[in-house]
Amino acid sequence: MPENSSKISLPWTEEHTAFCYQHHICPAAKSLWQWLMMQGAIAEELEPDLSEFNATVAKARGKGYSHNYLKQIFDQLVEHRVIQVVKQYSWKIFKLLVRPLEWLKPPRKKREKNLQNHNLSYTSDPSNDKSVVPGDIQQQHSNSDINLETLAEVGIHYDSTEKEVLERPTHEIKLALLMFNLRGGLDKILNPEGFIRRCLRQRWWEFPRNYNLLLKMFGNSTEWDELFPSG
């Protein structure tokens, strides 16, 4: 791949370091993150070659990382949504985006809601706690049933014990299905259950290109509020 001619050195902040500590991102993965930040603009597509990163590692420590370890630290950044893979050309060359730190934080409205709930816990009557918990559990069961049926309707089947997928908010299931259909659906995706699971884990609908496409498709409709209830 041709070397990016417009490499941009972006500052590494204390917030980045705190994120690494919070999510147990290993030092090697942290170094890879820093290197990727210098390969191009944040939130814009770039095509880094991991062998180039390994060459810089070799200069610093005498030898580069093994193929398996390099893949492991790369996957760690993917798992924590630091990077979004758009396309994989080989084991070491990808088209990807490095997400800005703000993307990795909980949405502001969600944080405010959590803070309000936290404050209420100090003022609410403890006797009300027992009445709240069963309702939450009932809501989870309701979501699971709805999600199970929604997925089954399009030919995607999970066991009813698959909590990671089925207990997600219904609007996230709908977003994952939109991503599934945009990628070709059952005609092109051989493992639809795995696709949906990964989509939910990595929240592919937040990927700028996907988000903008959804905005173009649903931005002027009432369905947008259903897909993105928090704004």
Side-chain angles (χ1 to χ4, degrees):
M1 292 292 161
E3 186 175 357
N4 192 328
S5 60
S6 58
K7 293 183 179 180
I8 301 173
S9 180
L10 296 171
W12 181 269
T13 68
E14 291 183 2
E15 285 189 285
H16 288 86
T17 301
F19 184 89
C20 290
Y21 282 128
Q22 180 183 357
H23 296 280
H24 307 290
I25 292 176
C26 68
K30 175 183 174 182
S31 296
L32 176 57
W33 187 2
Q34 292 171 325
W35 182 81
L36 288 170
M37 287 175 65
M38 295 188 293
Q39 303 309 302
I42 293 293
E44 292 185 6
E45 291 183 0
L46 58 144
E47 297 182 3
D49 185 336
L50 296 187
S51 64
E52 294 180 6
F53 166 71
N54 223 13
T56 64
V57 171
K59 289 180 181 179
R61 64 192 292 265
K63 63 177 181 178
Y65 297 127
S66 68
H67 174 183
N68 288 338
Y69 188 66
L70 195 58
K71 184 177 184 301
Q72 181 180 333
I73 63 175
F74 183 85
D75 288 344
Q76 189 176 22
L77 296 182
V78 173
E79 178 184 352
H80 291 291
R81 302 170 55 221
V82 170
I83 57 178
Q84 173 67 52
V85 175
V86 179
K87 186 174 182 179
Q88 182 172 352
Y89 299 105
S90 69
W91 72 267
K92 62 180 181 178
I93 301 177
F94 298 82
K95 178 183 288 186
L96 55 80
L97 288 94
V98 180
R99 282 177 163 157
L101 196 61
E102 287 299 317
W103 275 70
L104 306 179
K105 298 176 182 178
R108 184 176 179 182
K109 289 185 178 180
K110 184 177 181 180
R111 293 202 303 272
E112 290 174 351
K113 183 177 180 181
N114 289 341
L115 181 60
Q116 291 173 357
N117 291 339
H118 182 69
N119 291 337
L120 284 173
S121 67
Y122 289 99
T123 58
S124 299
D125 185 346
S127 63
N128 292 332
D129 291 347
K130 293 182 180 179
S131 64
V132 173
V133 173
D136 291 342
I137 295 174
Q138 184 177 4
Q139 181 64 40
Q140 286 182 351
H141 285 307
S142 176
N143 280 351
S144 295
D145 293 340
I146 293 172
N147 292 339
L148 189 66
E149 182 177 351
T150 300
L151 291 161
E153 285 176 354
V154 295
I156 302 176
H157 302 282
Y158 290 96
D159 188 273
S160 59
T161 60
E162 180 66 60
K163 294 183 179 181
E164 180 185 4
V165 171
L166 299 179
E167 290 186 358
R168 299 296 284 263
T170 300
H171 73 275
E172 291 188 3
I173 297 294
K174 292 180 179 179
L175 285 164
L177 285 173
L178 284 171
M179 292 295 97
F180 177 75
N181 290 329
L182 288 171
R183 298 289 178 87
L186 293 173
D187 292 335
K188 293 188 176 181
I189 298 173
L190 299 179
N191 180 13
E193 289 78 14
F195 178 96
I196 294 295
R197 187 180 291 107
R198 287 190 62 198
C199 181
L200 290 167
R201 285 176 182 171
Q202 299 176 26
R203 303 176 69 85
W204 287 346
W205 58 86
E206 291 182 350
F207 177 64
R209 185 171 61 180
N210 292 335
Y211 182 87
N212 289 335
L213 181 57
L214 292 173
L215 184 62
K216 185 177 180 180
M217 294 170 63
F218 302 104
N220 294 325
S221 70
T222 56
E223 193 169 354
W224 179 261
D225 293 331
E226 296 177 6
L227 294 172
F228 295 92
S230 60

